[in-house]
Amino acid sequence: MAILEVEHIQKSFDRTEVLKDINFSLEQGQVLAIIGPSGGGKTTLLRCLNFLETPDQGVIRVNGSVLFDADDPATRSESQIRRKRLHFGLVFQSFNLFPQYTALENVRLAPELLAKERPDYHANKAAIHEEIEANARGLLAQIGLADRMNSYPHQLSGGQCQRVAIARALALHPDILCFDEPTSALDPELTGEVLRVIRALADKRTTMIIVTHEMAFARDVASQVLFIDGGRICEQGAPQEVFQNPREERTRQFLSRFAQE
Amino acid sequence: MELILEQLPVVVGALNTGFLQTLRLFFITLLGAFPLGLVIAFGSMSRIRLLSLSARFLIWIIRGTPLMIQLLIIYYFPGLVLHSPIWGGGESGRFLAASISFVLNYACYFSEIYRGGIQSVPVGQQEAGLVLGMTRHQIFFRVTLLQMVKRIVPPISNEVITLVKDTSLARIIALQEVIWAGQAFMKGSHGISGAIWPLFFTAVYYLIFNGILTVLLARLEKKLDYFRI
Ligand SMILES: Nc1ncnc2c1ncn2[C@@H]1O[C@H](COP(=O)(O)OP(=O)(O)OP(=O)(O)O)[C@@H](O)[C@H]1O
Ligand SMILES: [Mg+2]
């Protein structure tokens, strides 16, 4: 069974239709790369999955259960959305780390706040915090920042900030981790360290959706590629097919522009 | 010079009493204007049009007219025009009227500073919190608030320093603050008359108090220096 099923997602801002009938599904442990020209709707799609935007139509299912159905008002209630968001993680292009917290505190904050909602929180407070702390330290070590845990975001490079942001998202154990152009805000020499972290996650079979302009990386890491243009999925398939033998003219044009660069 | 030294203890005693009233007005204004400013700020940002328009209208009126005129109107209007002197007579009535004028005036200035502070926090901070499953309440108190405070401390500090000096405007309704106390020695008070130096001497009080405030506010700013936004 697919971990994620997206059916007939449609989204308009005012009168412009930004997403038109988006359908795809994703298996556990797969990596989906989303490519396409600027303004195509890639960010909007990720924002819909993370409930930062509400689709006008469509259904989103995770592990077979309906998370969102535009026709069912019960799935749209604000109070439920917060919990549903936790199925997804989102890493932003601009990191959005909390500047007043250290790297470690950034990773720890959300799990600590969520733990307070556990029924056994008061009974096991110390143990719960210890576990969260250990998990956060482990994640920071895993992304290679064991020695920068107590640094504030302004003391870290862009690449280090983005790695902390990845650890922060992982700390909540999302089913599906989404990335919106995770290296676009970085100096070219810093993209490598972030891509290496994402690649390591792929090797550990983390289910991910990655919007990216790094074509070589997408081809390498993805199990499936979506090419989105003008709010539609123009082409989808295995990376070899989409990159080597694109069926659509538009995909070909888009890819040839990248080949020239 | 000898005369001044002779008069000094009496003058300082009277000025101290006056300055106590100055301090009272200063602290009451801050105590009232800090929270009221936040209410007006949220009002001016409200999606309810009537609310935001009323808040902005109030801010326009208060910031567009001199505080001195606001003081005069608030103090004299009920008694002279409406024939219902709600403030009561004497020093306590004047103090009440002055406090209300100052709180209202400073709340409007603070509200604009708050609004700038709130709007200057990037939406990405809020979105990052939402995606991490935080409630709006948690996001405000654990993420946004401190960034906002860091931004507003310098402009609020300016207003606070200005407020110290603005309290002297309450002299216009004869509130017995430090300027009033200094001026009294010209007409005659405590057996001294025709002395103008006590009035000049009040400047020392403002200087010392503002000096202390400047140090304290700089310390607060420094405390928030550990992160950048
Ligand atoms: N909040 C919004 N209000 C109105 N229009 C919006 C909004 N957000 C996005 N759009 C529009 O929707 C379209 C798709 O935007 P989106 O950011 O999803 O594209 P994208 O594929 O992520 O582009 P890029 O590669 O530049 O990041 C654009 O035309 C954009 O102007
Ligand atoms: Mg985008």
Side-chain angles (χ1 to χ4, degrees):
Chain A
M1 186 182 55
I3 191 167
L4 173 67
E5 293 160 285
V6 170
E7 288 170 10
H8 307 300
I9 289 291
Q10 192 270 346
K11 173 75 189 170
S12 300
F13 289 114
D14 299 323
R15 278 199 205 93
T16 26
E17 212 178 4
V18 173
L19 294 177
K20 305 166 185 166
D21 196 29
I22 299 286
N23 296 279
F24 66 90
S25 67
L26 191 61
E27 299 293 325
Q28 169 85 44
Q30 276 200 331
V31 176
L32 173 69
I34 301 180
I35 58 170
S38 185
K42 306 181 295 295
T43 297
T44 308
L45 177 57
L46 286 192
R47 289 172 61 85
C48 284
L49 293 178
N50 284 275
F51 295 92
L52 292 175
E53 307 285 357
T54 312
D56 300 320
Q57 279 167 42
V59 178
I60 299 170
R61 263 192 294 270
V62 171
N63 286 321
S65 60
V66 175
L67 228 53
F68 175 84
D69 181 349
D71 293 331
D72 181 0
T75 66
R76 305 178 62 152
S77 88
E78 176 76 24
S79 59
Q80 288 181 37
I81 283 177
R82 192 168 67 84
R83 286 257 148 207
K84 290 178 183 174
R85 281 200 174 102
L86 296 174
H87 290 287
F88 295 90
L90 179 59
V91 174
F92 299 85
Q93 185 174 339
S94 50
F95 332 137
N96 296 344
L97 290 181
F98 305 132
Q100 71 266 45
Y101 295 124
T102 63
L104 183 62
E105 289 164 345
N106 263 280
V107 178
R108 234 172 28 189
L109 179 65
E112 278 178 350
L113 293 173
L114 274 173
K116 289 186 181 159
E117 296 170 32
R118 281 167 58 163
D120 63 338
Y121 179 70
H122 287 289
N124 302 330
K125 203 168 167 178
I128 288 173
H129 277 281
E130 219 164 279
E131 189 194 322
I132 290 171
E133 170 90 15
N135 184 46
R137 285 176 181 276
L139 283 168
L140 285 166
Q142 190 185 318
I143 57 160
L145 287 177
D147 54 338
R148 303 306 303 272
M149 288 193 206
N150 297 317
S151 301
Y152 288 91
H154 76 271
Q155 299 167 324
L156 299 171
S157 72
Q160 290 171 330
C161 282
Q162 191 60 300
R163 286 188 279 155
V164 173
I166 294 171
R168 182 176 69 171
L170 285 170
L172 292 172
H173 309 292
D175 295 320
I176 300 148
L177 185 53
C178 305
F179 296 82
D180 189 8
E181 301 192 31
T183 58
S184 290
L186 300 177
D187 293 334
E189 70 268 24
L190 298 177
T191 60
E193 59 188 72
V194 172
L195 295 182
R196 265 195 300 281
V197 167
I198 300 174
R199 196 183 303 256
L201 291 173
D203 291 342
K204 291 204 305 184
R205 313 234 348 116
T206 311
T207 314
M208 294 188 281
I209 301 177
I210 308 171
V211 171
T212 185
H213 290 300
E214 301 276 343
M215 294 303 154
F217 176 72
R219 178 167 26 190
D220 251 31
V221 162
S223 18
Q224 200 192 147
V225 179
L226 291 189
F227 173 69
I228 294 188
D229 187 10
R232 272 183 209 292
I233 298 180
C234 291
E235 183 146 3
Q236 98 184 75
Q240 303 88 308
E241 294 168 32
V242 176
F243 287 106
Q244 256 113 39
N245 296 308
R247 282 182 309 247
E248 302 291 326
E249 181 54 31
R250 261 195 289 183
T251 320
R252 216 166 294 152
Q253 279 174 3
F254 175 75
L255 289 173
S256 70
R257 241 184 303 144
F258 271 92
Q260 282 159 16
E261 274 169 21
Chain B
M1 194 63 207
E2 243 170 65
L3 185 63
I4 289 180
L5 282 182
E6 218 172 88
Q7 294 170 340
L8 193 65
V10 179
V11 169
V12 166
L15 292 188
N16 282 349
T17 310
F19 196 64
L20 212 62
Q21 190 71 313
T22 298
L23 285 180
R24 238 182 255 137
L25 182 58
F26 172 80
F27 284 112
I28 292 254
T29 303
L30 289 189
L31 224 62
F34 278 139
L36 183 62
L38 201 57
V39 172
I40 297 173
F42 281 124
S44 73
M45 290 185 293
S46 167
R47 260 178 252 161
I48 305 164
R49 245 183 108 60
L50 187 68
L51 201 61
S52 77
L53 280 180
S54 323
R56 275 167 215 211
F57 183 73
L58 178 71
I59 293 168
W60 175 63
I61 295 285
I62 296 290
R63 296 208 311 172
T65 57
L67 175 53
M68 190 188 278
I69 292 186
Q70 293 162 20
L71 262 166
L72 289 171
I73 290 177
I74 286 176
Y75 184 57
Y76 288 114
F77 194 79
L80 293 184
V81 182
L82 305 178
H83 305 292
S84 56
I86 50 174
W87 305 123
E91 183 68 359
S92 65
R94 290 190 289 269
F95 186 74
L96 189 59
S99 300
I100 288 174
S101 313
F102 273 78
V103 167
L104 194 60
N105 183 278
Y106 272 80
C108 284
Y109 279 95
F110 287 166
S111 81
E112 287 293 276
I113 295 175
Y114 289 151
R115 192 166 63 89
I118 292 170
Q119 290 176 342
S120 73
V121 179
V123 280
Q125 291 290 305
Q126 162 131 358
E127 292 182 348
L130 287 174
V131 167
L132 291 167
M134 293 164 71
T135 63
R136 286 185 190 273
H137 186 265
Q138 288 169 339
I139 292 170
F140 181 76
F141 285 101
R142 307 297 289 260
V143 175
T144 322
L145 184 62
L146 196 62
Q147 297 180 42
M148 183 186 133
V149 168
K150 184 178 167 83
R151 266 206 231 231
I152 67 175
V153 164
I156 291 276
S157 299
N158 276 333
E159 292 296 329
V160 169
I161 300 286
T162 306
L163 171 62
V164 175
K165 296 169 286 175
D166 271 1
T167 53
S168 62
L169 288 171
R171 167 73 192 85
I172 199 74
I173 58 169
L175 185 78
Q176 296 172 13
E177 43 71 73
V178 68
I179 299 263
W180 180 91
Q183 219 175 359
F185 290 103
M186 291 168 72
K187 275 191 273 171
S189 162
H190 299 78
I192 299 170
S193 65
I196 193 154
W197 73 267
L199 182 56
F200 298 161
F201 192 70
T202 59
V204 174
Y205 283 79
Y206 290 105
L207 270 178
I208 291 176
F209 187 54
N210 263 337
I212 295 169
L213 282 179
T214 305
V215 170
L216 290 178
L217 290 167
R219 224 181 258 182
L220 177 62
E221 216 170 303
K222 191 127 196 251
K223 267 226 161 107
L224 292 169
D225 240 9
Y226 71 93
F227 71 97
R228 306 253 167 84
I229 35 182

